[in-house]
């Protein structure tokens, strides 16, 4: 059987039609994949918008709780100061009453002595009258000396009591003010750390969604983000100098470490689904100072505050439930 030019032409036309059909199928598949990718990016943006709004609400709640604690402490300080002032007033009143009682008693004794001397004067001679007058003057002088000594002693006791009460009030006020300032600084530092850490974590999630099948380095105004294996593996904060290293296990975020120089500042832990379950904050001596436990919605449910004695022994943590 001979192959004619017509057969060759028909075969060529058939191949062309087949190629066009295959290209049409491939083009439709590419459009479908592109639409799915756009939908995933849109869903990721919506999720992160909700997470940012939740974070803002949580920060506002924490800030309001801190303000309430400070107001309560200030009211306690005012109550203690009022009680101390009442105690000082009662002490001063008691001292004054004692001094008045003592003065009344001595005045009564002086009147009695004068009356007795007057009676003696009326029955004695002129010479005895002179001697008696001298005795009266001496008795009056002695009584006045006793009165002045008593008044001076009472004044000294009152001044000492007032000075001691003022010193105690100043000491209590300074101690309460120092405690308030330390508590306020601690709350502000904790809020700043939480905001910074959640900001970094949100950047990690958002960049992971947008950087599918990409390996690159993204340099923005605030951060330098390093990507590898389709994930963010390191973030450098240009403002604070902190570096956050992100670790993955089977493609799911497992933990992250935030360092200031060589010192570890924050550590975040995630479950098998990549949800945040625990955060740890370290002090300058690399000791744990705070632990944060998160619920299923990614919000803080508990905070544990750790303290240490002079020997470095860890005391029982202070728990706060939100």
């Amino acid at each position: 059987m001979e192959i004619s030019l017509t057969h060759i032409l028909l075969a060529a036309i058939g191949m062309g039609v087949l190629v066009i059909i295959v290209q049409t199928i491939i083009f439709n598949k590419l459009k479908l994949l592109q639409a799915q990718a756009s939908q995933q990016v849109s869903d990721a943006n919506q999720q992160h918008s909700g997470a940012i709004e939740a974070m803002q609400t949580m920060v506002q709640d924490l800030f309001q709780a801190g303000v309430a604690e400070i107001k309560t402490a200030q009211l306690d300080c005012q109550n203690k100061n009022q009680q101390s002032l009442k105690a000082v007033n009662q002490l001063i009143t008691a001292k004054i009453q004692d001094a008045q009682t003592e003065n009344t008693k001595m005045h009564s004794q002086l009147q009695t002595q004068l009356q007795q001397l007057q009676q003696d004067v009326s029955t004695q001679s002129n010479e005895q009258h002179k001697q008696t007058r001298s005795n009266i003057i001496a008795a009056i002088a002695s009584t006045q000396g006793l009165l002045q000594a008593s008044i001076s002693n009472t004044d000294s006791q009152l001044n000492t009591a007032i000075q001691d009460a003022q010193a105690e009030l100043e000491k209590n006020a300074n101690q309460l003010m120092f405690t308030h300032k330390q508590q306020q600084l601690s709350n502000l530092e904790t809020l700043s750390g939480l905001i910074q850490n959640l900001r970094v974590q949100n950047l990690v999630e958002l960049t992971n969604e947008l950087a599918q099948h990409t390996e690159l380095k993204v340099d923005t105004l605030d951060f330098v983000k390093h990507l590898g294996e389709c994930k963010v593996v390191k973030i450098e904060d240009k403002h604070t100098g902190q570096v956050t290293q992100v670790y993955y296990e089977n493609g799911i975020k497992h933990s992250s470490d935030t360092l200031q120089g060589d010192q570890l500042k924050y550590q975040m832990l995630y479950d098998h689904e990549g949800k945040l379950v625990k955060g740890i904050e370290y002090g300058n001596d690399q000791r744990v100072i705070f632990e944060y436990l998160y619920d299923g919605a990614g919000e803080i449910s508990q905070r544990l505050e750790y303290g240490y004695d002079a020997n470095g022994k860890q005391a029982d943590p202070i728990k706060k439930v939100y």
Side-chain angles (χ1 to χ4, degrees):
M1 180 180 180
E2 295 182 357
I3 299 175
S4 64
L5 184 60
T6 301
H7 293 158
I8 295 174
L9 182 60
L10 290 174
I13 292 172
M15 289 296 294
V17 171
L18 182 62
V19 169
I20 291 172
I21 293 172
V22 171
Q23 288 179 348
T24 302
I25 294 172
I26 293 173
F27 179 74
N28 291 332
K29 288 289 186 179
L30 288 175
K31 288 181 66 178
L32 180 60
L33 290 174
Q34 185 178 5
Q36 290 176 352
S38 298
Q39 183 63 33
Q40 290 177 353
V41 171
S42 176
D43 294 341
N45 289 333
Q46 291 178 357
Q47 290 177 358
H48 284 89
S49 296
I52 291 172
E53 291 177 358
M55 180 190 69
Q56 292 176 349
T57 302
M58 180 192 66
V59 170
Q60 290 177 354
D61 293 340
L62 289 174
F63 185 77
Q64 290 175 356
V67 170
E69 291 180 358
I70 292 172
K71 288 183 178 179
T72 302
Q74 288 178 345
L75 290 175
D76 292 340
C77 177
Q78 291 177 355
N79 292 332
K80 288 184 179 178
N81 289 338
Q82 290 177 355
Q83 292 176 357
S84 300
L85 286 174
K86 288 181 180 178
V88 171
N89 290 332
Q90 291 176 356
L91 177 61
I92 292 173
T93 302
K95 291 291 183 181
I96 292 174
Q97 289 177 352
D98 292 341
Q100 289 177 348
T101 302
E102 185 66 22
N103 291 338
T104 302
K105 182 179 178 181
M106 296 185 70
H107 185 267
S108 177
Q109 292 177 355
L110 179 61
Q111 291 292 335
T112 302
Q113 290 178 358
L114 288 174
Q115 290 175 0
Q116 183 67 34
L117 288 173
Q118 287 176 354
Q119 291 176 0
D120 292 339
V121 167
S122 63
T123 59
Q124 291 178 355
S125 63
N126 292 332
E127 186 175 354
Q128 291 176 341
H129 176 71
K130 292 180 181 179
Q131 182 65 34
T132 303
R133 184 177 179 183
S134 177
N135 292 335
I136 291 173
I137 294 172
I140 292 173
S142 176
T143 304
Q144 288 178 345
L146 291 173
L147 283 172
Q148 290 178 352
S150 176
I151 292 172
S152 298
N153 186 27
T154 302
D155 290 340
S156 177
Q157 291 179 356
L158 286 174
N159 290 331
T160 302
I162 292 171
Q163 291 176 357
D164 292 341
Q166 288 177 346
E168 186 66 23
L169 284 173
E170 291 178 357
K171 181 180 178 181
N172 291 336
N174 291 332
Q175 185 175 2
L176 287 172
M177 289 298 296
F178 176 77
T179 303
H180 295 164
K181 289 181 180 179
Q182 291 297 113
Q183 183 66 31
Q184 188 175 14
L185 289 173
S186 177
N187 290 337
L188 289 176
E189 184 177 356
T190 300
L191 287 174
S192 299
L194 284 173
I195 293 171
Q196 175 68 17
N197 203 27
L198 289 174
R199 185 182 179 191
V200 170
Q201 299 306 321
N202 287 333
L203 281 173
V204 171
E205 295 291 343
L206 182 59
T207 308
N208 282 342
E209 293 292 338
L210 298 177
Q212 294 291 330
H213 308 291
T214 305
E215 294 185 2
L216 48 84
K217 175 181 177 181
V218 180
D219 193 343
T220 65
L221 185 62
D222 299 321
F223 297 96
V224 177
K225 294 173 281 187
H226 299 267
L227 291 85
E229 298 180 358
C230 305
K231 301 290 183 181
V232 173
V233 295
K234 185 169 72 173
I235 292 180
E236 301 175 9
D237 192 321
K238 292 183 177 180
H239 298 293
T240 63
Q242 293 181 351
V243 177
T244 299
Q245 189 74 38
V246 186
Y247 303 98
Y248 298 87
E249 188 174 299
N250 296 327
I252 299 175
K253 185 164 52 178
H254 176 264
S255 62
S256 66
D257 295 337
T258 300
L259 296 93
Q260 183 75 48
D262 295 332
Q263 291 187 345
L264 181 62
K265 298 295 292 183
Y266 303 100
Q267 190 174 40
M268 309 299 285
L269 304 176
Y270 302 85
D271 61 10
H272 62 281
E273 295 180 352
K275 294 182 179 180
L276 183 61
V277 294
K278 185 176 182 182
I280 304 172
E281 182 178 350
Y282 295 89
N284 294 330
D285 54 2
Q286 295 297 284
R287 292 177 178 173
V288 177
I289 56 176
F290 290 103
E291 282 190 1
Y292 306 93
L293 302 180
Y294 296 83
D295 58 17
E299 297 182 354
I300 296 178
S301 60
Q302 290 185 17
R303 186 187 75 178
L304 300 176
E305 181 178 356
Y306 293 91
Y308 301 87
D309 58 18
N311 297 324
K313 184 178 179 181
Q314 186 183 86
D316 293 334
I318 301 173
K319 180 188 292 185
K320 185 173 182 179
V321 179
Y322 295 94

